[in-house]
Amino acid sequence: MSAEPPARTPARTPVRTAAVPVSAILALRAEVLRPGLPVASAEFAEDARPGTVHLAAYAGEKGTEVLGCITLFADPLPGDGTAHRFRGMATAPAVRGRGYGAALLAAAEAEAAARGARTLWCNGRTGARGFYERHGYTVLGEEFVIEGVGPHYVFTRRLPPRA
């Protein structure tokens, strides 16, 4: 009797990120961050601000379905006028744990650094604390509640100096 070959772990599909119009990410943002509410509840005042960039994540080079999103804009923190903030970060439940969130953070960090930011920050859900800490973010201050959304922390990360 011949031994079966060991099971192979399927290769991960590379994640592609791209800047997109806000309209491309609103459905996913609403589904993940504002479930059961109208899509308009996932629109943010910063979406139309000059300089705001919306990033989408796709499966591979030819993927067309938005599987993750993040929105980045300048928003200073005390002591750091160069800081940029992100919000509206979401990944489709079917692809969680497959690198989409990490790819979006990396793309946002690169974009913020290219704009001269020294710090990147967000109001992140308490349940995502482990994710942010694994990616080099630290908690700033105490937990707080955003009405209708739930408990959050401010997460910050110093960006490496530009080369």
Side-chain angles (χ1 to χ4, degrees), residues 2-155:
S2 64
E4 290 192 31
R8 294 181 59 186
T9 303
R12 258 192 192 180
T13 303
V15 177
R16 173 177 60 92
T17 60
V20 297
V22 68
S23 59
I25 64 170
L26 271 180
L28 178 64
R29 196 195 272 175
E31 173 191 341
V32 173
L33 301 178
R34 305 290 191 268
L37 297 175
V39 171
S41 71
E43 294 175 357
F44 305 140
E46 298 88 358
D47 287 340
R49 182 191 290 179
T52 294
V53 64
H54 308 283
L55 300 170
Y58 302 92
E61 289 302 313
K62 297 185 181 190
T64 58
E65 179 183 5
V66 175
L67 297 171
C69 61
I70 194 169
T71 295
L72 176 72
F73 50 94
D75 195 0
L77 281 172
D80 188 346
T82 72
H84 276 52
R85 177 180 171 195
F86 64 89
R87 69 181 298 193
M89 183 171 179
T91 56
V95 298
R96 293 220 178 107
R98 296 187 188 169
Y100 288 83
L104 286 163
L105 279 181
E109 290 165 2
E111 181 66 26
R115 294 173 176 209
R118 294 188 328 237
T119 304
L120 189 58
W121 71 280
C122 73
N123 291 330
R125 292 172 191 246
T126 298
R129 182 175 183 164
F131 169 80
Y132 288 119
E133 288 178 338
R134 282 191 303 278
H135 289 91
Y137 288 77
T138 58
V139 170
L140 177 67
E142 300 296 319
E143 183 181 65
F144 60 96
V145 174
I146 296 177
E147 190 174 331
V149 181
H152 285 66
Y153 287 107
V154 172
F155 294 100

